[in-house]
Amino acid sequence: MLDGVEVVYVEIVHGGLPLASSVGGRLPAHATGVGKALLAYSPQAVVADRVEAGLDPMTPRTISTPAGLTRALQDIRTVGTSYDHEESHLGVSCVAAPVFGADKKIRAALSVTGHTPRMDLPLPGVAVRTAAFTLSRQLRDAGL
C-alpha cells in the first residue's frame, strides 16, 4: 500500500528469495513494481510529492529522473502492469498490478517477484493482473 511517497508492504509470501522488502517495511515508491503501479493511478499531486522527495536510486537501474518516471507511469496505465527490472534489488525483478476499491480509486498493488534470469515477466503478469482484478471486484462487491 502507498503511505505518502513510500510503499508499505502488508503481506509477503516468501519462497526463500532475498528481498529488499519485508512485512511492515517501506521502500521508495518510484523504485518498486508495486510502488509504480500505485503511483500510476494516484492523483498527480502524489506523484509530484514523490518527485519532490527525490528519486534516489536504490540500484543503477532505478528510475531516477522525473521524465523517466512520467514515461514509466504512462506505460503502466496503458498495459495495466508495472515492472521492476532490478530497480530495488540487483538480480531481482517483479511484475505488479493495481487493486482498486469500490470508488475506483487505487487501494493497493499485488506483485510476483523472482530472480531476474528465471523471470519471464509477461507470463506471471497475466496471473498478477487477474488476481488484482479479482480482488478489485471483491472490494467493489463489498462496497470497500
Side-chain angles (χ1 to χ4, degrees):
M1 301 186 81
L2 198 59
D3 184 24
V5 297
E6 296 178 318
V7 171
V8 177
Y9 292 88
V10 296
E11 184 65 50
I12 297 175
V13 178
H14 283 278
L17 182 67
L19 300 173
S21 56
S22 61
V23 173
R26 295 172 173 269
L27 289 173
H30 73 285
T32 69
V34 293
K36 290 184 290 180
L38 290 160
L39 288 174
Y41 296 96
S42 291
Q44 186 56 40
V46 174
V47 177
D49 288 347
R50 175 67 264 173
V51 170
E52 185 177 315
L55 300 175
D56 297 331
M58 292 186 68
T59 75
R61 296 177 182 248
T62 307
I63 294 172
S64 58
T65 65
L69 183 60
T70 297
R71 277 191 307 276
L73 299 181
Q74 288 170 343
D75 290 346
I76 293 163
R77 287 188 297 271
T78 299
V79 299
T81 53
S82 172
Y83 298 98
D84 173 344
H85 299 283
E86 300 185 332
E87 295 169 57
S88 61
H89 191 273
L90 291 176
V92 176
S93 295
C94 89
V95 57
V99 174
F100 299 97
D103 58 2
K104 299 185 181 177
K105 292 183 181 177
I106 188 76
R107 292 288 182 258
L110 302 175
S111 70
V112 170
T113 302
H115 288 289
T116 299
R118 294 183 178 173
M119 292 291 287
D120 180 9
L121 292 177
L123 184 61
V126 173
V128 171
R129 274 194 315 275
T130 301
F133 175 79
T134 300
L135 182 54
S136 296
R137 186 175 51 211
Q138 290 173 338
L139 291 175
R140 182 194 68 216
D141 292 349
L144 300 174

